[in-house]
């Protein structure tokens, strides 16, 4: 586990510090976007810095070279435009499909974009073998962490999991639906079971 703190100015204009205790495999972008969402801050106009140096949000804590108990700062910056990234999806067969898309795109929209860019591919309408009229649910793995569930895939962007620029490879698997609800590809969202692990935090404000 890695201990660190982030100081920022909250929506009330007050300085606030949150202490974190996170696994070393956590990607900085996940911490950054989670904090911005919780504190209602725009991630496109903020940056995470250590000793005035902007951090690469695509790195994990282990690779960021941050010292123990590092004191980070979330600072306001000029609007940061999302970048074009190349996303490659590796199917269970080993086949790789790719597309170029903005880092602000949701994971579900990314799947649809890959389908559109690769004629004949089928990622959202694979029939379920156990539930008539339903479809298998795609699961994306990035940095060995699964991203699953229609709601989660629809509300999580590429940038939020650390895909900010350049190119990235994600592995795709499929699972049977939890219910007989129709696939999201049919405009109806299935019931999904997702688990969100909140960081251990201690908050102080001045």
């Amino acid at each position: 586990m890695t201990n660190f703190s982030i100081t920022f100015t909250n929506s009330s204009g007050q300085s606030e510090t949150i202490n974190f205790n996170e696994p070393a495999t956590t990607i900085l972008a996940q911490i950054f976007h989670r904090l911005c969402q919780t504190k209602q801050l725009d991630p496109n106009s903020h940056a995470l810095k250590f000793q005035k140096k902007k951090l690469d949000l695509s790195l994990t804590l282990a690779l960021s070279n941050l010292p123990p108990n590092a004191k980070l700062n979330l600072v306001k910056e000029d609007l940061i435009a999302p970048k074009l990234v190349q996303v490659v999806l590796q199917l269970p067969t080993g086949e790789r499909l790719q597309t170029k898309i903005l880092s602000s795109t949701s994971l579900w929209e990314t799947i649809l974009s890959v389908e559109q860019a690769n004629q004949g591919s089928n990622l959202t309408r694979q029939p379920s073998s156990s539930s008539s009229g339903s479809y298998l649910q795609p699961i994306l793995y990035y940095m060995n962490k699964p991203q699953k569930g229609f709601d989660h895939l629809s509300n999580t962007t590429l940038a939020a999991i650390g895909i900010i620029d350049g190119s990235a490879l994600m592995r795709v698997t499929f699972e049977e639906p939890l219910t007989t609800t129709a696939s999201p590809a049919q405009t109806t969202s299935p019931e999904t079971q997702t688990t969100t692990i909140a960081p251990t935090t201690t908050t102080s404000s001045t």
Side-chain angles (χ1 to χ4, degrees):
M1 301 295 285
T2 303
N3 296 313
F4 60 96
S5 65
I6 300 179
T7 299
F8 59 97
T9 301
N10 60 29
S11 57
S12 299
Q14 296 179 314
S15 178
E16 186 174 345
T17 297
I18 296 182
N19 295 319
F20 289 82
N21 183 24
E22 294 276 351
T25 55
T26 304
I27 300 172
L28 286 172
Q30 295 173 337
I31 299 167
F32 170 77
H33 282 269
R34 188 170 58 202
L35 178 59
C36 287
Q37 183 179 30
T38 301
K39 296 299 179 178
Q40 298 182 329
L41 301 173
D42 183 4
N44 294 319
S45 60
H46 287 80
L48 194 59
K49 294 186 176 183
F50 176 63
Q51 295 181 345
K52 298 183 179 181
K53 182 179 179 181
K54 190 173 180 178
L55 295 176
D56 182 350
L57 298 181
S58 66
L59 297 177
T60 62
L61 286 168
L63 297 176
S64 65
N65 293 321
L66 292 172
N69 301 310
K71 299 182 184 302
L72 311 183
N73 291 283
L74 183 66
V75 298
K76 193 170 181 60
E77 287 199 340
D78 293 335
L79 190 65
I80 304 169
K83 296 181 180 179
L84 193 66
V85 296
Q86 178 171 291
V87 175
V88 181
L89 300 185
Q90 180 172 307
L91 306 185
T93 60
E95 181 184 5
R96 293 186 175 186
L97 307 175
Q98 60 183 316
T99 188
K100 287 187 176 181
I101 202 165
L102 291 175
S103 60
S104 57
T105 305
S106 74
L107 298 179
W108 183 254
E109 289 174 332
T110 299
I111 294 173
L112 296 179
S113 176
V114 170
E115 279 190 328
Q116 293 170 2
N118 296 269
Q119 204 169 33
S121 62
N122 179 13
L123 302 176
T124 59
R125 289 180 175 272
Q126 296 196 24
S128 166
S129 60
S130 63
S131 180
S132 177
S134 296
Y135 296 90
L136 297 177
Q137 299 179 14
I139 306 173
L140 301 181
Y141 287 84
Y142 181 65
M143 303 289 284
N144 293 322
K145 294 189 176 182
Q147 311 290 332
K148 60 184 289 187
F150 178 67
D151 288 342
H152 176 73
L153 294 173
S154 298
N155 293 301
T156 303
T157 65
L158 292 168
I161 64 170
I163 302 176
I164 300 169
D165 56 17
S167 61
L169 172 67
M170 287 191 283
R171 184 166 56 89
V172 184
T173 62
F174 298 91
E175 71 174 4
E176 292 288 344
L178 298 180
T179 70
T180 56
T181 308
S183 163
Q186 296 178 306
T187 71
T188 301
S189 304
E191 284 188 21
T192 58
Q193 183 175 5
T194 58
T195 302
T196 302
I197 301 176
T200 303
T201 63
T202 303
T203 306
S204 63
S205 60
T206 56

